[in-house]
C-alpha cells in the first residue's frame, strides 16, 4: 500500500514538472505596418513602432506584440523607461518582467 502511494505521487510530480519545461511561447515578430504605413520614433536610444494604439520596441525592423507589452507615448518618453516583456510559464500563468 505504501509503495503504490509513492508511485502515484512520483507520477504526478513527474507530470507536473514535464508540463512546465520547454513550452515557452514563440515570439511572433511582425512588421507592424498599419495599411502599409509605419510610425516610428527613437527616444532615449531605443527605437519604437506605433501599432494598434501602442508603441512597441523595434528590433531589426520588426515588433512583437505577443512578446512585449505596448506602451503609451508618455511612458516611452520617460528617461529610463524599459519595455516590459511578456513571459508565460508554470501551469499557464503569465507574469511580466523587465527585459534588459
Amino acid at each position: 500500500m505504501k509503495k503504490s502511494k509513492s508511485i502515484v505521487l512520483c507520477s504526478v510530480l513527474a507530470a507536473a514538472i514535464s508540463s512546465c519545461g520547454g513550452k515557452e511561447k514563440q515570439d511572433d515578430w511582425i512588421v507592424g505596418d498599419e495599411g502599409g504605413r509605419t510610425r516610428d520614433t527613437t527616444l532615449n536610444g531605443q527605437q519604437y513602432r506605433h501599432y494598434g494604439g501602442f508603441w512597441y520596441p523595434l528590433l531589426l525592423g520588426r515588433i512583437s506584440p505577443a512578446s512585449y507589452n505596448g506602451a503609451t507615448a508618455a511612458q516611452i518618453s520617460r528617461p529610463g523607461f524599459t519595455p516590459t516583456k511578456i513571459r508565460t510559464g508554470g501551469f499557464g500563468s503569465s507574469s511580466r518582467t523587465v527585459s534588459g
Side-chain angles (χ1 to χ4, degrees):
M1 186 76 169
K2 218 177 199 185
K3 203 174 204 180
S4 65
K5 285 183 181 179
S6 297
I7 292 172
V8 171
L9 180 62
C10 287
S11 306
V12 171
L13 184 60
I17 290 171
S18 68
S19 71
C20 293
K23 290 189 178 180
E24 190 160 327
K25 185 177 179 181
Q26 290 287 336
D27 293 339
D28 296 326
W29 292 92
I30 60 172
V31 174
D33 62 343
E34 295 176 314
R37 297 173 297 136
T38 60
R39 286 178 35 200
D40 296 346
T41 190
T42 302
L43 289 168
N44 303 316
Q46 173 69 51
Q47 292 182 314
Y48 296 93
R49 178 163 289 163
H50 192 265
Y51 178 75
F54 293 101
W55 292 93
Y56 294 93
L58 184 61
L59 303 168
L60 301 173
R62 297 180 159 266
I63 62 170
S64 181
S67 300
Y68 287 90
N69 291 310
T72 64
Q75 289 172 318
I76 65 171
S77 64
R78 263 188 256 133
F81 172 78
T82 304
T84 55
K85 190 166 184 173
I86 300 170
R87 297 175 89 188
T88 60
F91 302 108
S93 65
S94 65
S95 62
R96 296 174 185 210
T97 59
V98 177
S99 65

